[in-house]
């Protein structure tokens, strides 16, 4: 159990790291571009991002706990984070040095209330895996317990001693950082940071309550009961507590072990297709999904070959149900519409579905976004990841240049539980690509899209009729509105008085120019000081360039007043 002094030091260290990099990010990415000095930000961005990622990786490895989880999540966000960050963090594994066996035995015996020698016939002192929140050991049930459950080989997951206090400290620090971020308008307009942190907190607290994980494992098994494609370990409730989880040992071939799959007569490309289909089932059919489907949490289990059995002679076995996601019916319906729009290359429908899911705020002007999606479908639609790798990089660059500002200017936000959806889908895509470099996600989407398109067609006539009525009503009211506006103009009720602006314009222009000069002086001077250590010449040039704006800010208005 960490003492109070170590707890405070951990809390302060996380906040110092966050504060330092938030200030740097605000200065270089928000303030400088706003006043026309974005070139400084662009020139230094790769080095700054790499340095920040390196510092966070060191911090996460030293502190462990939830910092490892945060690093894992950041490394998977290839869609929003630059490669300098994701590349540096991709080696950050959710593995830390194992806790010595005596400490594990003491915690397990305290939780179970009996010695391990009585609880299990055999308990391996060497862990199978050690992670930031717990570690797993192989064991064998006693004869009496084995007779009750029907198996004897198990895996016992034991929580790391003191992890509850560590998680509480990390969450307190993350909540404080979330409060800081919520005061930045560009972030607050897109993401409810407090809600996002609380969502992460709820997921993390569930991960360290193994009773929740056991219940989720059984619920997941019920969703796929009778489905020959999916297997789930059984829970040994008699040997399970909030800090101890005992499951049947279902260890088999790791899903991305291509050589082992081929040796067992299993085609990796077939595994990729089935895995993608199972993940789609979780999202679009059940609404309850495995949010951490990385290769270590999915096995391919060979089954006895039967001549009369249809389908593959293997199944996917999921483990580790500590991170599960659940989405509302509204979001699930929105995701289904999104899938239909993508499959039919319907840019307008795609934007509408994004709005329905809650990612795009209702106030957003989506005309340019629809045009961007039309262009995207026309150029890249239907391509798999292997095909995209062969596309001329200039095509991506041209698209980003033309439509990047459009996407960045729109008011996006992340609805509840959507982070877990993104995580699940990004990991699914990565696993499928590792199994089959030529895997095309569109082929996996097609069966779902075909069914959903049939379902949606039943409502098409009603939607068209509703749109016709809406357009007809607008056309019917248009002449009356135009007539009202023209009458107001003729009666002189619509006027524009510019006299006040004309009197103030000259004075405001003079004051504005001097304020701008003062800001430019401060920006150049501070940027020069910050960059001098990394680039002496460029830093000194910026400091020297700050002198003329300072002179104008101090004396720029004197000549004009003298002339008057």
């Amino acid at each position: 159990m960490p003492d109070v002094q170590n707890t405070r030091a951990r809390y302060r260290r996380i906040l110092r790291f966050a504060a330092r990099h938030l200030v740097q990010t605000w200065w270089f990415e928000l303030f400088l571009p706003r006043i026309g000095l974005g070139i400084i930000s662009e020139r230094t961005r790769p080095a700054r991002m790499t340095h920040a990622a390196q510092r966070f990786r060191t911090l996460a490895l030293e502190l462990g706990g939830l910092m490892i989880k945060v690093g894992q999540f950041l490394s998977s966000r290839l869609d929003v984070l630059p490669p300098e960050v994701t590349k540096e963090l991709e080696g950050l594994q959710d593995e830390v040095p194992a806790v010595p066996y005596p400490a594990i035995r003491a915690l397990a015996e305290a939780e179970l209330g009996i010695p391990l020698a009585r609880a299990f016939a055999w308990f391996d002192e060497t862990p199978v895996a050690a992670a930031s929140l717990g570690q797993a050991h192989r064991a064998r049930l006693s004869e009496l317990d084995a007779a009750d459950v029907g198996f004897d080989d198990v895996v016992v997951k034991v929580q790391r001693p003191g992890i509850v206090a560590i998680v509480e400290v990390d969450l307190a620090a993350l909540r404080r950082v979330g409060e800081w971020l919520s005061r930045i308008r560009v972030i607050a307009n897109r993401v409810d940071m407090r809600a996002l942190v609380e969502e992460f907190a709820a997921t993390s607290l569930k991960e360290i309550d193994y009773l929740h994980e056991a219940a989720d494992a059984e619920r997941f098994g019920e969703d796929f009961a009778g489905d020959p494609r999916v297997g789930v370990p059984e829970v040994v409730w008699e040997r399970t507590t909030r800090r101890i989880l005992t499951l049947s040992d279902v260890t088999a071939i790791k899903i991305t072990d291509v050589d082992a799959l081929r040796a067992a007569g299993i085609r990796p490309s077939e595994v990729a297709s089935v895995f993608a289909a199972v993940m789609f089932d979780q999202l679009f059919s059940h609404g309850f999904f495995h949010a951490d489907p990385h290769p270590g949490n999915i096995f391919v289990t060979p089954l006895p070959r039967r001549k009369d059995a249809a389908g593959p002679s293997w199944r996917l076995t999921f483990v580790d149900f500590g991170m599960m996601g659940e989405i509302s019916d509204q979001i699930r319906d929105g995701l289904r519409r999104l899938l239909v729009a993508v499959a039919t290359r319907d840019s307008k429908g795609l934007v509408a579905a994004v709005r329905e899911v809650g990612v795009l705020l209702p106030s957003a002007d989506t005309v340019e976004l629809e045009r961007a999606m039309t262009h995207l479908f026309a150029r890249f639609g239907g391509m798999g990841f292997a095909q995209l790798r062969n596309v001329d990089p200039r095509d991506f660059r041209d698209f980003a240049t033309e439509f990047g500002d459009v996407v960045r200017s729109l008011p996006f936000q992340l609805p509840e539980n959507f982070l877990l959806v993104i995580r699940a889908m990004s990991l699914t895509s990565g696993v499928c690509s590792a199994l089959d470099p030529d895997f095309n996600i569109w082929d996996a989407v097609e069966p779902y899209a075909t069914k959903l398109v049939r379902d949606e067609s039943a409502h098409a006539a009603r939607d068209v009729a509703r749109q016709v009525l809406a357009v007809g009503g607008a056309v019917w009211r248009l002449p009356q509105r135009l007539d009202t506006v023209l009458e107001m103009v003729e009666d002189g009720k619509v006027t524009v008085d510019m006299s006040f602006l004309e009197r103030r314009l000259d004075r405001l222009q003079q004051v504005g120019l001097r304020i701008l000069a003062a800001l430019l002086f401060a920006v150049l001077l501070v940027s020069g000081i910050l960059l001098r250590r990394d680039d002496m010449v460029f830093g000194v040039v910026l400091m020297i360039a700050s002198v003329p704006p300072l002179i104008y800010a101090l004396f720029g208005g004197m000549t004009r007043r003298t002339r008057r």
Side-chain angles (χ1 to χ4, degrees), residues 26-89:
W26 174 83
W27 179 264
F28 285 102
E29 302 297 337
L30 297 178
F31 184 69
L32 294 187
R34 183 171 295 178
I35 61 174
L37 295 178
I39 187 172
I40 299 175
S41 175
E42 294 175 4
R43 176 171 178 173
T44 61
R45 184 177 294 122
R48 288 187 290 106
M49 290 293 184
T50 301
H51 183 61
Q54 290 171 346
R55 284 177 53 83
F56 181 83
R57 188 173 188 274
T58 300
L59 178 77
L61 289 174
E62 291 180 1
L63 296 183
L66 293 185
M67 294 300 101
I68 295 284
K69 295 290 184 182
V70 173
Q72 276 190 322
F73 176 74
L74 293 176
S75 68
S76 68
R77 295 309 307 273
L78 301 174
D79 52 337
V80 296
L81 292 178
E84 293 84 5
V85 174
T86 56
K87 184 177 181 180
E88 186 64 35
L89 296 179

Side-chain angles (χ1 to χ4, degrees), residues 13 24 51 58 68 88 121 139 188 222 236 250 267 281 361 376 535 537:
R13 186 173 178 188
Q24 289 185 358
H51 183 61
T58 300
I68 295 284
E88 186 64 35
E222 291 171 358
V236 183
V250 294
R267 291 187 295 114
D281 274 342
L361 294 178
L376 182 68
D535 191 336
V537 175

Side-chain angles (χ1 to χ4, degrees), residues 25 41-42 147 171 184 218 250 323 362-363 368 373 391 434 470-471:
T25 301
S41 175
E42 294 175 4
L171 288 178
I184 302 175
E218 289 199 336
V250 294
M323 187 181 294
S363 60
E368 287 300 313
M373 293 300 100
V391 173
V471 172

